């Protein structure tokens, strides 16, 4: 039975030959937060640091160095200097393993995750995922990591597909996509009143431009279609509903 992710056409690599053997029981740690996550309690740098320290103590591992990326996504290893430096540390023989608090701190990509596990096995270093108590130097750890990385990638792609489907459904119903700019109520009220007086869309638009009143998007030019859209908007409907019955 072939090993997972093996590639007969790919040349086998080993640790750099000029580097001394990695001391047993040693690791370097990698921590990462993206911009949107920095304020969330469970994903901050300090929380991750506490998690990896606890794991290292339980497993009697010695942490030699720490690498960190802040404000960077885990979609790919590209553009993450901290992650690349941590990988270079284990590849060069500085430490026997790479320790992260959570698997998704290192990779959310099946391709990157599988490649890292294959590289670790081929070059003789281990990946440690503290939250799941996984050590990929063991067969059970390697299998568990493969399953979880695949599940993470599936979930992300499923969410993306649902988002695309929802946007397509809104588009098919003719709904506006994205945030709708707000037009001041006094401008909407003016348009309603002028239309009731029998003014054309073009005349209303000309009057607004003459008074230097911008559109909801901040544009200086008004069009008849823009006036029509305002009159059909929810804001206009709410203003009409709030008017006294005698008006």
């Amino acid at each position: 039975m072939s090993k997972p992710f093996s590639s007969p056409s790919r040349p086998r690599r080993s640790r750099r030959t000029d580097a001394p053997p990695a001391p047993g029981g040693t690791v370097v740690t990698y921590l990462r937060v993206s911009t949107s996550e920095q304020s969330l309690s469970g994903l901050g740098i300090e929380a991750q640091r506490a998690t990896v320290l606890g794991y290292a103590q339980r497993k009697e591992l010695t942490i030699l160095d720490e690498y960190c990326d802040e404000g960077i996504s885990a979609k790919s290893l590209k553009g993450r200097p901290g992650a690349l430096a941590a990988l270079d540390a284990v590849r060069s023989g500085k430490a026997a393993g790479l320790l992260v608090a959570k698997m998704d701190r290192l990779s959310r990509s099946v391709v990157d995750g599988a490649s890292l596990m294959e590289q670790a096995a081929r070059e003789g270093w281990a990946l440690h995922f503290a939250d799941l108590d996984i050590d990929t130097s063991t067969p059970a750890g390697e299998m568990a990591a493969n399953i979880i990385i695949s599940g993470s990638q599936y979930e992300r792609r499923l969410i993306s597909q649902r988002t695309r489907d929802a946007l397509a459904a809104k588009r098919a119903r003719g709904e506006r996509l994205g945030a709708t700019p707000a037009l001041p109520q006094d401008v909407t009220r003016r348009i309603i009143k002028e239309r009731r007086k029998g003014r054309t869309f073009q005349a209303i638009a000309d009057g607004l431009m003459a008074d230097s009143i911008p559109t909801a998007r901040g544009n200086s030019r008004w069009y008849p279609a823009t006036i029509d859209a305002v009159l059909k908007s929810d804001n206009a409907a709410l203003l009409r509903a709030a008017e006294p019955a005698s008006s």
Side-chain angles (χ1 to χ4, degrees), residues 30 69 72-81 83-84 87 106 112:
Y30 173 67
D69 283 318
I72 300 178
S73 170
K75 290 182 179 180
S76 170
L77 286 171
K78 295 179 180 179
R80 284 199 277 159
L84 296 176
L87 290 170
L106 184 60
D112 281 345

Side-chain angles (χ1 to χ4, degrees), residues 95-219:
L98 172 59
L99 168 60
V100 294
K102 294 171 65 69
M103 184 179 294
D104 64 5
R105 298 301 88 192
L106 184 60
S107 176
R108 285 195 179 105
S109 163
V110 169
V111 174
D112 281 345
S115 176
L116 285 174
M117 286 185 286
E118 181 187 20
Q119 183 177 336
R122 188 169 59 240
E123 298 176 355
W125 50 273
L127 279 167
H128 299 267
F129 303 109
D131 64 322
L132 301 172
D133 203 35
I134 288 177
D135 175 358
T136 63
S137 66
T138 68
E142 182 181 15
M143 180 182 70
N146 272 293
I147 293 171
I148 294 167
I149 285 180
S150 296
S152 177
Q153 176 81 343
Y154 171 75
E155 181 180 9
R156 187 160 63 91
R157 293 186 65 180
L158 190 62
I159 292 171
S160 178
Q161 183 61 52
R162 287 173 177 167
T163 302
R164 287 195 299 269
D165 291 345
L167 290 174
K170 292 186 69 173
R171 190 179 295 110
R173 293 194 299 267
E175 297 181 20
R176 182 190 295 271
L177 301 181
T180 303
L183 189 68
Q185 285 191 356
D186 58 336
V187 178
T188 303
R189 191 175 288 111
R190 168 177 168 168
I191 292 172
I192 293 172
K193 288 181 178 180
E194 292 190 5
R195 183 59 177 169
R196 281 178 179 165
K197 292 177 181 179
R199 301 195 70 187
T200 65
F201 291 164
Q202 185 63 64
I204 297 173
D206 290 342
L208 292 169
M209 288 188 286
D211 292 339
S212 300
I213 297 175
T215 67
R217 296 184 181 278
N219 298 323

